[in-house]
Amino acid sequence: MALPSDDTLLLLHNPRCSKSRAARALLEERGIAFEERRYLEEPLSRDELDDLGARLGRPASDWVRKGEDAYRAAALDAIATDSEILAAIAREPILMERPIAVRGVRAVVGRPPETVLELV
């Protein structure tokens, strides 16, 4: 599956994450139409992660969860390359920061959750 290339708002969501739930609630409260992809159940492919990085305009080191056990297990560190980080996220999607909203050619990390409103 590819990330949307049209004006669809996509929320990459983890329902167990309070920030992700808060971002989802903000969109719902405002009546903003969006699609939801639970990326732990439907992980992003390596190509999608490359695309997401380009839309975020930030290095992968800015949107990887460094506190996860999977980060240490993947032997990642401060000098890990984007390629190494994205390969690790493809293997262990829990490493991807959440939530992330995608619309058109842009994406934002929803931290704080109100950041997702930048794409509306």
Side-chain angles (χ1 to χ4, degrees):
M1 170 187 267
L3 296 176
S5 58
D6 58 10
D7 204 33
T8 301
L9 179 62
L10 174 67
L11 183 67
L12 298 172
H13 178 58
N14 177 352
R16 298 186 72 175
C17 171
S18 63
K19 299 290 186 201
S20 195
R21 289 191 310 269
R24 185 177 192 273
L26 280 170
L27 295 172
E28 289 175 336
E29 289 165 5
R30 287 167 172 74
I32 298 166
F34 68 97
E35 293 182 7
E36 177 182 296
R37 180 169 171 183
R38 295 184 178 191
Y39 66 90
L40 293 179
E41 297 167 17
E42 188 182 344
L44 278 70
S45 69
R46 177 57 196 271
D47 286 343
E48 288 176 308
L49 289 167
D50 286 333
D51 182 12
L52 182 60
R55 294 183 200 207
L56 286 166
R58 297 167 57 186
S61 60
D62 283 358
W63 48 280
V64 65
R65 296 179 56 83
K66 297 175 179 86
E68 295 287 339
D69 290 338
Y71 185 85
R72 289 179 293 286
L76 297 174
D77 58 25
I79 61 168
T81 65
D82 270 13
S83 182
E84 292 167 330
I85 293 169
L86 294 176
I89 294 172
R91 287 189 310 273
E92 297 288 343
I94 193 71
L95 288 171
M96 188 174 76
E97 190 59 84
R98 65 222 180 213
I100 295 179
V102 180
R103 184 178 224 166
V105 297
R106 292 188 55 220
V108 295
V109 175
R111 293 197 170 252
E114 294 80 13
T115 307
V116 300
L117 299 175
E118 291 177 11
L119 298 182
V120 177

